[in-house]
Amino acid sequence: MSVDLLLNDATVVVGGREEVRSIGVKSDKIEGIYPIGQEPSANRVIDCSNLYVLPGMVDIHVHLRDLEQEAQEDYRTGTMAAAAGGVTTVLDMPNSVPPVLSRDVLDKKIANAELNRYVNVGFYAGIPKRVEDFDETLVPDILGLKVYPHAPLTEGTKYTRRRIEDCLALAKQHGLPLMFHPDSSNKNAPILTIQDHFVVHDCDSECESLKRFIDAKRRIDGRIHVCHVSCASAARLIAQSRAEDSLTAEVTPHHLLLSGDQFPNNDGVAKMLPPLRSPYDHQVLRQMLCDKCAIDCVASDHAPHTEEKKRAEFLKAASGIPGLETTVPLLLTQVFDGRLSWVDYLRVCCSVPAEIVGLSDKGVLAKGYDADIIVVSREEYRIRGDRFFSKAKITPFEGYRVLARPVMTIVGGEIVFSHGRFVIEAGRAGRVPLRKR
Ligand code: NCD
Ligand code: ZN
Ligand code: ZN
Ligand code: ZN
C-alpha cells in the first residue's frame, strides 16, 4: 500500500496532546496517521519536522462579494486569502449585489467560484419578501438560509413574528439551518452622531432580536444558528435556551479579543456590526466557548470593503473588516499562549462548524476525512494588512502580535499554497458548490 503524499514527522494533536506522527494522503482523502517508522511508501514526501499539521479551518461566515462588488473582493482574492490564512472551506453569505434570492444569481456565483477558487466554497441563500416565492431549486446547492432582520435583502421586509416563523418553517422544511444576524434595530432609526451608531446597535438590540428568534423556535422547532454573538447578555440568553444542538452560535475573533475603547471613535477601521463591545463581554464569550456551552464555534465574518470606504470618517465608513488571514493565527496564538486548549481549538475552528452546516467529511484530521490540511509554523510576528491576499487590507488587528503562521495549505489532497506562494492554478483544488453529506 502506498500514498500520494506523506507529511513526515509532523506535530499533530492526539487525544489533546502534541505527538509526532506522519500523515498520509491518498487522492482527496486522509489515508492514515502513522507513528514514526511505520509510514507507507509515498509518491511525494514533505518534511514537516518542527511544524504543526492540523485540519484547515471551516469558516461558516464569509462575504466573498464578487459580481457587482469585485472592487471589494472576488472569488479569486477571497479564496486566496482563505488558503493563505489556513482556512480550507468557506461559506459565502448571500448579501452580495445582487443578493442570492434566485437561481440565476446563485448560478453566476457558482460559476465564478468554480473558475477562481483555491479552497472549497459553499453557499447560503436569502429568503424573498414573500416566503412563498422561495425558489426550491436552490436547496441542493446551499447549506443554510440567512436573514438580516435589521437590513433585509429585499427592501421593506419587516421581521415580524409571522415572518420569523415562516422563515424558520421554510428552513426546517428543507433541513437547513436558519442563520441570522441578531439585531432588532429599525433601519430608519436616525444615526446622526457616532454615539447613535453604538446605541442603535447595542446589546439590548442584539438580545431583543435573539429573543424573537428563540421564541419562534419554541413554536416551529427548526434549527437556528446565531451569527457573531458579541454581548455577554446575548450569550447568557443562548445558554439558558438551549438543550440540544438545534440552537447554535458563533463568535468572531474581533468580538473575543478587541474592545471598542481601544480605537479612536472617529475612524472607520474598527467599524463593524455588531460593534466591538467591552473586555467584560470578551471574558464571558470566552467562557461560553466551552463544550456544550452557548458558543459553538468561531467564524471570521470576513467582510471586505474598499480602502476608501474604510478610511472614511466614522459615520460614512462601511461596517465590516477582513478576517480570513487573521482568524487562524489569532486563535492558534490563544493556544500557544495557554488560553485555549488544543481540543477546544479543533472543536471551535474545525469540527463543529463543519457539523453545523452538514459537512460530515470535513474538519477532522483522521482517516477517511477530506484531505483539507494546513501546516503551521510556530513563530512570532505582527499582523500586517498590506501582506494580505484579500483586497481588503485595513484591519483593526494591524500590528497585533501572533504566534502561528500557516505555511502550507492542502485542499482536497492538492497543495494549493506553500511558503507564501500559490503553487496551483485557480479552479483546480476543492469543491464548488459544497453539498451536504
Ligand atoms: C457585513 C458585510 O459587510 O457584509 N458587515 C459587518 O459589519 N459584519 C454584514 C454582516 O455580517 O452583518
Ligand atoms: Zn451579520
Ligand atoms: Zn449586519
Ligand atoms: Zn457577515
Side-chain angles (χ1 to χ4, degrees):
M1 201 264 308
S2 87
V3 294
D4 297 325
L5 175 66
L6 197 65
L7 303 171
N8 241 11
D9 276 328
T11 303
V12 298
V13 180
V14 181
R17 295 223 323 265
E18 294 182 13
E19 304 276 0
V20 178
R21 296 278 194 279
S22 297
I23 299 88
V25 171
K26 193 161 184 164
S27 180
D28 59 348
K29 295 282 181 188
I30 297 166
E31 175 68 24
I33 315 288
Y34 313 97
I36 302 309
Q38 295 179 30
E39 297 91 347
S41 62
N43 293 341
R44 181 166 182 194
V45 179
I46 295 177
D47 175 31
C48 293
S49 44
N50 300 314
L51 295 170
Y52 290 82
V53 168
L54 304 166
M57 180 176 175
V58 176
D59 190 346
I60 65 172
H61 189 152
V62 172
H63 303 265
L64 294 184
R65 313 291 193 208
D66 210 89
L67 304 181
E68 289 171 36
Q69 292 176 310
E70 280 187 12
Q72 297 173 30
E73 195 81 285
D74 57 41
Y75 285 109
R76 183 179 161 83
T77 53
T79 60
M80 285 172 99
V87 176
T88 48
T89 292
V90 292
L91 266 73
D92 188 29
M93 285 293 172
N95 67 332
S96 44
V97 180
V100 181
L101 293 165
S102 62
R103 192 67 235 185
D104 62 310
V105 174
L106 184 61
D107 282 340
K108 276 187 205 126
K109 281 196 160 196
I110 291 173
N112 290 357
E114 241 180 333
L115 273 178
N116 294 298
R117 73 184 190 272
Y118 284 96
V119 300
N120 301 293
V121 183
F123 297 93
Y124 297 113
I127 301 176
K129 188 163 185 177
R130 286 163 35 109
V131 177
E132 317 84 88
D133 291 343
F134 177 73
D135 180 351
E136 304 201 339
T137 68
L138 296 171
V139 171
D141 292 339
I142 59 175
L143 295 169
L145 294 169
K146 173 73 184 281
V147 294
Y148 298 85
H150 68 301
L153 298 183
T154 49
E155 202 58 46
T157 306
K158 291 222 164 49
Y159 279 80
T160 58
R161 171 175 163 164
R162 175 75 194 278
R163 162 91 182 167
I164 296 172
E165 289 184 12
D166 289 351
C167 289
L168 188 52
L170 179 74
K172 185 184 174 190
Q173 179 194 339
H174 294 292
L176 296 168
L178 183 69
M179 333 283 291
F180 82 107
H181 176 130
D183 187 331
S184 55
S185 67
N186 174 350
K187 212 185 175 188
N188 301 317
I191 298 190
L192 303 172
T193 65
I194 292 173
Q195 195 52 29
D196 289 345
H197 169 85
F198 293 97
V199 171
V200 165
H201 301 289
D202 66 3
C203 287
D204 287 345
S205 167
E206 185 166 316
C207 287
E208 187 52 46
S209 181
L210 192 52
K211 278 185 199 150
R212 289 182 199 162
F213 279 77
I214 289 174
D215 205 42
K217 190 178 171 311
R218 287 204 187 95
R219 289 185 295 272
I220 307 296
D221 180 39
R223 208 145 63 76
I224 283 186
H225 178 78
V226 192
C227 294
H228 42 48
V229 177
S230 67
C231 301
S233 48
R236 289 214 180 87
L237 263 177
I238 296 169
Q240 281 165 20
S241 318
R242 62 183 249 167
E244 12 68 39
D245 294 342
S246 60
L247 175 63
T248 55
E250 75 195 23
V251 66
T252 67
H254 44 282
H255 290 116
L256 267 182
L257 297 168
L258 301 177
S259 49
D261 56 15
Q262 289 170 260
F263 296 88
N265 248 352
N266 56 4
D267 83 51
V269 169
K271 184 175 178 184
M272 76 280 287
L273 287 177
L276 296 176
R277 310 292 186 190
S278 71
Y280 172 72
D281 295 291
H282 302 174
Q283 188 196 319
V284 173
L285 290 172
R286 182 184 291 276
Q287 287 165 5
M288 295 280 188
L289 201 53
C290 59
D291 198 10
K292 308 281 178 236
C293 295
I295 316 278
D296 303 83
C297 70
V298 169
S300 72
D301 192 10
H302 178 78
H305 290 282
T306 60
E307 172 157 9
E308 192 195 352
K309 283 290 205 177
K310 289 307 287 177
R311 294 279 184 218
E313 57 151 304
F314 191 86
L315 286 177
K316 293 201 177 117
S319 292
I321 58 164
L324 282 169
E325 285 158 279
T326 46
T327 299
V328 168
L330 288 165
L331 270 291
L332 286 175
T333 299
Q334 297 294 303
V335 174
F336 293 140
D337 270 341
R339 295 166 57 91
L340 184 71
S341 73
W342 270 121
V343 171
D344 284 345
Y345 171 83
L346 293 169
R347 195 182 67 247
V348 302
C349 289
C350 307
S351 63
V352 165
E355 271 169 36
I356 289 171
V357 293
L359 297 172
S360 57
D361 44 16
K362 296 202 177 293
V364 180
L365 190 78
K367 181 176 167 67
Y369 282 85
D370 286 350
D372 297 335
I373 299 169
I374 62 174
V375 182
V376 171
S377 150
R378 181 172 180 166
E379 57 186 80
E380 180 170 337
Y381 64 104
R382 286 180 186 275
I383 288 173
R384 284 188 47 181
D386 64 354
R387 301 270 166 88
F388 289 175
F389 287 91
S390 171
K391 290 182 189 176
K393 302 191 191 291
I394 296 174
T395 167
F397 286 108
E398 186 68 38
Y400 203 96
R401 164 190 160 276
V402 283
L403 299 174
R405 188 193 292 283
V407 292
M408 185 180 284
T409 302
I410 297 168
V411 177
E414 303 268 8
I415 301 171
V416 165
F417 174 81
S418 175
H419 298 88
R421 285 205 179 79
F422 283 82
V423 295
I424 191 173
E425 280 162 43
R428 300 274 293 276
R431 296 200 305 263
V432 174
L434 288 173
R435 298 200 167 102
K436 271 194 294 187
R437 45 170 71 199

